[in-house]
Amino acid sequence: MTEKEHKINKKDKQESRHVLSLVLDDEAGALGRVVGLFSSRGYNIHSLTVSEMDSQKKLSRITIVTSAPLHVIEHIKALLERLIPVYKVRDLTTEGAFVEKSLLLIKVSIKDKRSELLNLAEQYEALQVDATDSTFIFQLTDISSKLDEFVEIMRPYGIIETARTGVTAMARGSDGF
């Protein structure tokens, strides 16, 4: 095996994060078949979002974030493409530039730190969506790592509750599904 072949082989076995985007029929059981494919083979789903994409054509988009070596991702894509309700599967991570967002709602205790919390939220471009005498709820939409960072910044102030969506993503440019 040449040095180049060895590097390619080694890279193929490294586990990495992949954002998969699927277009499929918006029908009962379709999501279950997709998730079942992952669980029956022991593949982990880190994030999952589903939404209607086109009501007239009755299509949905599923965005899945998973981690695996590239050859496993290729296998997953091939299996997904064979599912009856699935029309298209894209690995946005390997195809080029894409936009990725998640949503975080975080409830934080105020404890006489009102202006400090508002300043931090402003620095992260988080929106204040609710306020009581004792709490703020902030909304932040960004990439997952920025949401994680904001949670850690808020932790010392007393996080009461968090809720997050999964990743949703779309390829950049004029190329659509």
Side-chain angles (χ1 to χ4, degrees):
M1 183 181 301
T2 69
E3 185 177 332
K4 184 177 180 181
E5 290 170 329
H6 181 68
K7 284 181 182 179
I8 291 170
N9 193 24
K10 187 175 180 180
K11 183 179 179 185
D12 187 47
K13 292 182 181 179
Q14 291 176 341
E15 191 165 295
S16 59
R17 178 180 183 270
H18 290 264
V19 178
L20 304 177
S21 186
L22 293 71
V23 173
L24 67 163
D25 286 334
D26 185 11
E27 65 182 27
L31 174 62
R33 289 193 288 277
V34 169
V35 171
L37 184 144
F38 276 78
S39 65
S40 67
R41 287 163 178 80
Y43 302 142
N44 190 26
I45 295 175
H46 301 295
S47 170
L48 173 74
T49 59
V50 183
S51 182
E52 183 179 69
M53 179 177 150
D54 187 326
S55 60
Q56 291 179 340
K57 294 180 182 176
K58 297 188 181 193
L59 296 175
S60 287
R61 179 189 307 261
I62 297 178
T63 306
I64 298 171
V65 178
T66 190
S67 292
L70 187 56
H71 72 279
V72 172
I73 296 297
E74 292 301 323
H75 181 68
I76 290 170
K77 282 177 53 184
L79 292 171
L80 287 168
E81 287 168 346
R82 285 191 286 225
L83 286 179
I84 297 303
V86 175
Y87 293 105
K88 188 158 186 174
V89 180
R90 296 179 71 178
D91 181 356
L92 297 177
T93 312
T94 61
E95 289 184 16
F98 66 98
V99 175
E100 169 187 331
K101 297 290 180 182
S102 295
L103 170 73
L104 166 71
L105 292 176
I106 184 168
K107 187 187 300 183
V108 183
S109 178
I110 292 175
K111 296 181 190 168
D112 300 324
K113 303 285 185 181
R114 186 176 220 85
S115 62
E116 203 173 316
L117 287 165
L118 290 171
N119 286 337
L120 284 170
E122 187 178 325
Q123 289 174 22
Y124 279 83
E125 298 179 4
L127 300 175
Q128 175 193 325
V129 294
D130 186 63
T132 67
D133 291 341
S134 59
T135 64
F136 280 131
I137 297 178
F138 295 112
Q139 170 188 308
L140 181 60
T141 305
D142 212 321
I143 59 174
S144 297
S145 62
K146 276 287 194 200
L147 301 184
D148 294 340
E149 189 178 308
F150 188 66
V151 168
E152 289 309 310
I153 293 292
M154 290 291 150
R155 194 170 304 286
Y157 296 95
I159 296 172
I160 297 168
E161 184 178 4
T162 63
R164 288 175 78 156
T165 65
V167 169
T168 190
M170 184 178 289
R172 292 190 66 214
S174 60
D175 185 30
F177 253 99

